[in-house]
Amino acid sequence: MAAYGSGASQAGRVPSAECRASPEPQKMKYIPTTGTMATTPSNPGYQTIPSSEGEEPMELSRDSSSSNDSDGNGSGPRKLGHTLAMAASATLILLLAFLGGRRSSSKATSTKLFPHDAQLNEAVPNRLCEIYHDKGDTTDIRIIQTSMGEPSKQWSEVACVHRQRKLHTSSQQSDEDGGYARPSAVINVDFSSVAFPDREPILGFGGAFTEAAALNFWSLNEEGRKVALELLFGRDGLGYSLGRTHINSCDFCVKSYSFDDTDGDFNLDNFDTEVTHDLDSGMIDMMLLATKTIKESYPKEHEYGMRIIASPWSPPPWMKAPTYNDVKGALHAENMTGSAQPVCIRDGVGSDSKYAKSWALFFSKFISAYSNHGIDFYGITIQNEPEFPAPWDACAYDPFSEGEFIANHLGPTLAESHPDTKILIFDHNKDHIVKWAQFLLNSNHAASKYIDGTAFHWYAGGMDRLLDGAQGIPNLHRLISELDVMNVDKGHILLGSEACHCPSTGYAGGDLGIAWARASRNAHTLLADLAAGSNGFIEWNLILDSVGGPNHLGNMCDSPLLAVPHRALDADGIPHQLDFETAGHPFGEIHGDSKTREELNAEGVPSKYLDLGIVVQPMYYYVGHLTRFVRPGSRAVHGLVDSSVGRLKSRTFRPKEQEVAGGGINDLARNGIEVTLWPCEGSTRQEWLLNEDKQLQVFGHDWLGVPTASCLGRKADKDMGGLMLTTCNVTEDKSGLYEVVLLAEKHRANIVMKNGKADSKKSCLVAQPLRNIGGAYGPRGGAQVNIGSCEQPWAEWVIDPSTGEIYSTVFDEFGGEVCLTTGWPFLQVGAFDTAATGNTARAAVVLNEAGESANYVFKDKGKTILTASIPPHSIQTIEFDGVE
């Protein structure tokens, strides 16, 4: 767990390698998100795409064309001239205004530009939910919703009107698409177009069976435990089917422990084959009960069941080299906490290392011990967060040493003793995932034949916890592309193995807005990971106490469920904190304890569960919008939230005649956020200002309400591969200083960086397509930006100073313009073919992070399926052909 920071923030970490692109052009197999959802371009030509620093150009088809629909419904690419926001003379006037009239970024007067959750479109009607059927169509469609506006009505069904589809000529705008003053986003999906047809399907979702989780689970009364199992693993709950546990102790334990503490016991004769600690703590029994619950709840998923992976945090101290905390001259580490670098094993990981050989045997004995208790592990990871010599239980590796350990010891050992147990590498943050894969999965590496998958965490590293879950998606796309380049087996698993919010819990903090923001971040990351090709997502602890523990290093974090047995109706003399929790109140008062059951119920913490000593938090319900419907065996399909029906005249969050960006406060105007390109939505996440210092600046507030302001960087991040938001302090020289240079004939502009080292003709802001062609989102869903050649169309931008939009038409053949975006848009979608699960046929999840409602038109292959509205700070699941 990386609450103090990991990866990029740690001294002594492995230097990042430059990400390579495919040496050959990628064949386009993408279904563009237009009304027609055109298929693969035939006989494609290729246009060079600007490269990032340290990355060769990739290539993308640009000569495939399609007809332009002129009805404004987003059903086809717009012609070049139609992309202009104004005539040439007006463009010049507005650009001058952009350069001169909106200069207030870093000065006191800039506060007037801050957006608010002010419901700018309050008086504009939202769309009713209307579902359209062809004659004889018996498809069952329903929308399930969880909304901050009605926090106590989780997973509630939205009332919809069913209508027979009308026929329209091509020159008519359909009734489904128009007629509302608030613009409607067009959500384009193609349920017949699987994004990754040759890769493994989604394995499922889950959480970790830590000692902390087990202690809290068993602190509940019998009825509470029964309900907790149903909430987590049952059909009426999340239906979790994945799990993770620790080999030896982790930080979420009462103290460090190992199953063989005998120095020099290389054959592990004293290994505790009963794994007594895990048995006594209740971890094993909790896993067995979870497995029983999932099998009974989903009998059709018998081939999946409960799949649990095991990860070590640290070997026994006698196997570890002395750490930075040990006395000079020590023969081995004194404790399991901390780690030597670059590898923690006492005598290294070479073929003659007796400690590495013994540590590999330790894995095997641990797997056998659990199997004897009825738990067969799906897989193991080599090491939790190998780049981080953490202050808690830890063991460092770099790619070389992890590869040597696998090739020389762990691979051969498990191949002989547990050949069905999968080996997953890395198990750390997304910043270096490509580098590790390139090294370890190379077919010439002796370890590659033993490796079955790659695990990763959602943390950003460093000390800024509000960046967790917000970085690294482009690297997942790079990884999927790199697997193809290296001809890695299509069965290679890509698994999100750990995610949580820190510090403390939503219940302890008592702020509904922050609890809801955490829930939204979980849902966003799930959708983005799956769109990039991930096979699953494992939350960190399944259940913790009110302050987010126990954790023997005080590293308190959040979880979907919290055990508060003192709140149960039958509680008699149960203290607010049990004996296993020694942290006290590290973050002050536990605000949830001061609220009545009625107050908590009104805030979305159901009293029926609180009466059993269980706090069910908003993130639980948000995650459930995927886990309940996107069952194991599902596959991501192409889908994207496109610009509104009105296109340039009106955006989803900015109605016609309104210049102020909508959507509410931009909580991604934050240093460290990646700058990307998405269909324009007229929101504050796409509102930019060229300030007096010539910086491109954005504004917002963080989750705590603190005003933020950040500027576009001057060079690509070496790990993330694209430009990011950074400090606006000019003296630090981290932000770019940009000049807008008009391209008179095209009524467009180059945005030229003036404080770079490269020639000015190579210093333009450019669009940088994703290596994976955008995965399920397609080319227009999250492309990066960089600094590159000014002589390509990727460097041409249209600037609207009245709205602060900066957009590119370079992806027009795939559906339309894309706007410069901080992180990702407010309105998002994930679409899935779920037919193989036997539960539903199709499902789509719509997420609205904005402070305003959003109308939308939902289309499958260009045909309008339904129209609806999603409230502010809400999530919806659209279920097709539901089976009870």
Side-chain angles (χ1 to χ4, degrees):
M1 162 60 223
Y4 288 179
S6 61
S9 69
Q10 299 306 318
R13 70 173 185 191
V14 181
S16 173
E18 297 171 342
C19 297
R20 299 192 309 274
S22 169
E24 298 296 331
Q26 294 186 4
K27 294 181 180 179
M28 286 298 293
K29 189 177 182 182
Y30 167 67
I31 311 301
T33 52
T34 66
T36 56
M37 299 295 284
T39 54
T40 307
S42 60
N43 191 24
Y46 292 93
Q47 181 82 320
T48 299
I49 289 174
S51 61
S52 66
E53 294 185 4
E55 189 169 339
E56 298 175 12
M58 66 165 281
E59 299 180 351
L60 182 68
S61 166
R62 284 186 48 78
D63 69 354
S64 175
S65 60
S66 58
S67 62
N68 177 42
D69 291 340
S70 59
D71 61 2
N73 67 354
S75 60
R78 294 173 298 112
K79 293 181 180 178
L80 183 63
H82 187 62
T83 65
L84 303 180
M86 55 204 77
S89 58
T91 302
L92 179 58
I93 293 172
L94 288 174
L95 280 169
L96 292 174
F98 181 74
L99 295 171
R102 286 170 56 92
R103 298 182 179 179
S104 55
S105 64
S106 57
K107 314 303 177 187
T109 55
S110 66
T111 55
K112 68 181 182 180
L113 297 175
F114 284 169
H116 301 280
D117 276 0
Q119 301 298 316
L120 297 174
N121 305 324
E122 184 81 32
V124 185
N126 297 326
R127 299 196 77 132
L128 297 175
C129 176
E130 298 178 281
I131 298 173
Y132 297 89
H133 298 274
D134 293 318
K135 186 176 182 180
D137 182 6
T138 60
T139 303
D140 180 21
I141 302 174
R142 61 178 186 147
I143 300 178
I144 309 301
Q145 176 175 287
T146 299
S147 175
M148 185 176 172
E150 295 182 293
S152 62
K153 294 184 178 180
Q154 309 94 341
W155 297 343
S156 59
E157 187 165 351
V158 175
C160 296
V161 176
H162 292 257
R163 300 189 185 281
Q164 185 172 336
R165 193 183 312 279
K166 298 178 181 179
L167 298 177
H168 306 280
T169 64
S170 59
S171 62
Q172 291 177 321
Q173 184 179 37
S174 69
D175 292 341
E176 296 99 305
D177 284 352
Y180 287 83
R182 183 191 292 275
S184 295
V186 178
I187 299 179
N188 280 306
V189 306
D190 186 344
F191 283 114
S192 67
S193 176
V194 174
F196 309 100
D198 298 329
R199 299 192 69 248
E200 290 293 301
I202 293 169
L203 296 177
F205 311 93
F209 297 90
T210 60
E211 180 183 15
L215 291 173
N216 280 290
F217 172 75
W218 291 104
S219 75
L220 302 172
N221 60 33
E222 183 177 357
E223 182 64 20
R225 294 194 298 271
K226 180 180 178 181
V227 168
L229 286 170
E230 180 63 30
L231 285 168
L232 292 169
F233 309 105
R235 194 175 189 88
D236 292 330
L238 296 181
Y240 274 172
S241 58
L242 295 181
R244 183 176 183 231
T245 195
H246 41 88
I247 301 174
N248 293 335
S249 57
C250 71
D251 51 323
F252 277 92
C253 293
V254 175
K255 62 181 180 180
S256 296
Y257 67 89
S258 164
F259 294 111
D260 191 337
D261 292 322
T262 304
D263 192 354
D265 182 18
F266 297 110
N267 293 326
L268 303 182
D269 294 328
N270 295 316
F271 184 93
D272 178 8
T273 56
E274 289 296 313
V275 283
T276 305
H277 185 282
D278 293 1
L279 198 61
D280 291 346
S281 67
M283 292 169 59
I284 290 175
D285 285 341
M286 185 182 180
M287 293 181 212
L288 292 172
L289 288 171
T291 301
K292 181 176 182 289
T293 303
I294 188 70
K295 287 183 176 180
E296 291 176 350
S297 297
Y298 293 91
K300 294 180 181 179
E301 297 178 8
H302 59 87
E303 63 179 294
Y304 296 100
M306 173 59 68
R307 295 177 170 181
I308 302 175
I309 63 171
S311 303
W313 266 243
S314 174
W318 62 271
M319 292 186 182
K320 296 175 64 174
T323 73
Y324 46 82
N325 288 323
D326 293 314
V327 297
K328 187 176 182 180
L331 296 178
H332 60 76
E334 180 69 22
N335 301 300
M336 295 174 69
T337 54
S339 176
Q341 290 184 292
V343 59
C344 84
I345 302 299
R346 187 167 167 178
D347 62 345
V349 289
S351 58
D352 59 348
S353 168
K354 55 187 179 181
Y355 291 96
K357 181 179 180 180
S358 185
W359 181 225
L361 179 61
F362 199 108
F363 278 75
S364 180
K365 282 184 169 286
F366 181 84
I367 295 170
S368 295
Y370 261 74
S371 182
N372 290 337
H373 287 296
I375 297 169
D376 294 315
F377 288 121
Y378 174 74
I380 57 94
T381 69
I382 311 302
Q383 171 60 40
N384 174 73
E385 298 186 346
E387 294 185 315
F388 186 24
W392 45 80
D393 314 62
C395 180
Y397 294 89
D398 58 14
F400 177 82
S401 58
E402 183 161 301
E404 289 293 288
F405 178 59
I406 297 170
N408 295 327
H409 304 286
L410 187 63
T413 296
L414 294 189
E416 180 179 351
S417 60
H418 298 285
D420 294 330
T421 303
K422 297 185 181 297
I423 295 177
L424 281 66
I425 59 170
F426 194 49
D427 207 13
H428 209 159
N429 304 340
K430 297 170 184 172
D431 51 356
H432 296 157
I433 191 171
V434 179
K435 173 191 173 179
W436 281 65
Q438 288 171 338
F439 185 81
L440 293 173
L441 299 178
N442 187 305
S443 60
N444 293 324
H445 197 297
S448 63
K449 64 182 179 181
Y450 299 111
I451 298 170
D452 301 291
T454 302
F456 61 90
H457 294 185
W458 89 330
Y459 309 108
M463 298 298 292
D464 189 349
R465 300 269 54 88
L466 297 188
L467 292 177
D468 289 342
Q471 291 184 346
I473 293 299
N475 274 354
L476 291 188
H477 290 281
R478 287 188 177 92
L479 176 59
I480 293 294
S481 177
E482 200 66 23
L483 294 178
D484 289 338
V485 171
M486 295 190 295
N487 293 316
V488 174
D489 187 273
K490 297 297 184 182
H492 189 89
I493 299 299
L494 183 59
L495 182 62
S497 56
E498 185 179 312
C500 72
H501 294 279
C502 306
S504 193
T505 68
Y507 177 81
D511 188 316
L512 180 62
I514 293 177
W516 223 266
R518 287 183 167 187
S520 292
R521 182 64 56 84
N522 279 44
H524 157 73
T525 305
L526 269 167
L527 292 173
D529 283 359
L530 295 174
S534 174
N535 296 101
F537 183 94
I538 301 177
E539 179 79 25
W540 195 198
N541 298 273
L542 286 163
I543 181 170
L544 293 171
D545 64 18
S546 61
V547 295
N551 184 292
H552 71 98
L553 269 296
N555 182 26
M556 322 306 281
C557 295
D558 217 343
S559 61
L561 299 186
L562 302 176
V564 288
H566 61 282
R567 298 294 302 256
L569 291 180
D570 64 353
D572 184 11
I574 299 178
H576 286 211
Q577 289 189 340
L578 301 180
D579 291 343
F580 56 69
E581 182 56 83
T582 59
H585 297 171
F587 302 101
E589 177 188 355
I590 302 174
H591 292 279
D593 279 349
S594 65
K595 296 182 180 180
T596 67
R597 61 189 298 278
E598 290 76 20
E599 289 172 329
L600 288 170
N601 188 75
E603 293 182 0
V605 178
S607 57
K608 64 180 179 180
Y609 301 129
L610 188 66
D611 291 344
L612 296 171
I614 303 171
V615 170
V616 184
Q617 302 205 95
M619 71 176 77
Y620 171 92
Y621 292 104
Y622 263 56
V623 169
H625 275 269
L626 280 100
T627 66
R628 289 161 56 87
F629 304 97
V630 184
R631 301 300 304 160
S634 299
R635 292 183 177 275
V637 301
H638 286 110
L640 184 68
V641 177
D642 213 330
S643 299
S644 63
V645 173
R647 309 297 294 191
L648 293 174
K649 296 179 181 179
S650 61
R651 302 292 195 196
T652 303
F653 293 107
R654 193 186 67 242
K656 188 177 181 180
E657 309 301 334
Q658 177 179 301
E659 291 187 352
V660 179
I665 291 170
N666 180 7
D667 59 354
L668 297 180
R670 190 171 195 83
N671 296 352
I673 290 292
E674 294 174 271
V675 178
T676 55
L677 296 170
W678 293 84
C680 304
E681 64 175 9
S683 78
T684 53
R685 289 185 177 178
Q686 297 176 339
E687 183 184 35
W688 296 83
L689 173 70
L690 189 65
N691 67 23
E692 291 180 345
D693 294 320
K694 305 299 182 183
Q695 300 163 307
L696 284 171
Q697 190 168 19
V698 290
F699 302 92
H701 288 176
D702 66 18
W703 294 354
L704 301 175
V706 178
T708 60
S710 296
C711 289
L712 186 63
R714 60 183 294 268
K715 60 181 180 180
D717 183 88
K718 61 181 174 55
D719 296 320
M720 302 302 181
L723 295 181
M724 304 178 77
L725 293 180
T726 187
T727 176
C728 296
N729 188 332
V730 177
T731 62
E732 295 188 31
D733 197 29
K734 293 182 179 180
S735 59
L737 305 181
Y738 295 95
E739 179 181 354
V740 176
V741 179
L742 293 176
L743 305 175
E745 293 184 1
K746 298 182 180 180
H747 316 305
R748 304 186 184 196
N750 288 151
I751 301 176
V752 184
M753 188 178 69
K754 309 303 291 184
N755 59 329
K757 296 181 180 179
D759 181 272
S760 61
K761 293 183 179 180
K762 299 179 180 179
S763 298
C764 277
L765 184 68
V766 296
Q768 177 177 290
L770 294 169
R771 283 279 307 278
N772 195 28
I773 318 176
Y777 287 147
R780 297 170 64 231
Q784 294 180 286
V785 293
N786 211 327
I787 301 299
S789 171
C790 301
E791 300 177 355
Q792 295 289 341
W794 311 100
E796 297 176 6
W797 303 90
V798 177
I799 303 172
D800 186 341
S802 65
T803 63
E805 280 187 353
I806 300 174
Y807 66 87
S808 169
T809 60
V810 74
F811 296 114
D812 258 11
E813 69 176 282
F814 301 108
E817 73 277 358
V818 286
C819 273
L820 198 65
T821 306
T822 56
W824 56 88
F826 281 120
L827 194 61
Q828 303 152 63
V829 72
F832 306 91
D833 176 356
T834 60
T837 70
N839 296 293
T840 61
R842 293 158 288 165
V845 178
V846 182
L847 175 65
N848 183 16
E849 297 186 36
E852 299 176 18
S853 298
N855 289 338
Y856 64 86
V857 178
F858 189 95
K859 296 186 176 185
D860 179 14
K861 287 184 290 190
K863 178 186 288 188
T864 298
I865 304 299
L866 62 88
T867 62
S869 177
I870 181 169
H873 306 299
S874 300
I875 187 169
Q876 295 176 341
T877 299
I878 306 172
E879 182 187 23
F880 298 80
D881 293 330
V883 178
E884 294 299 325

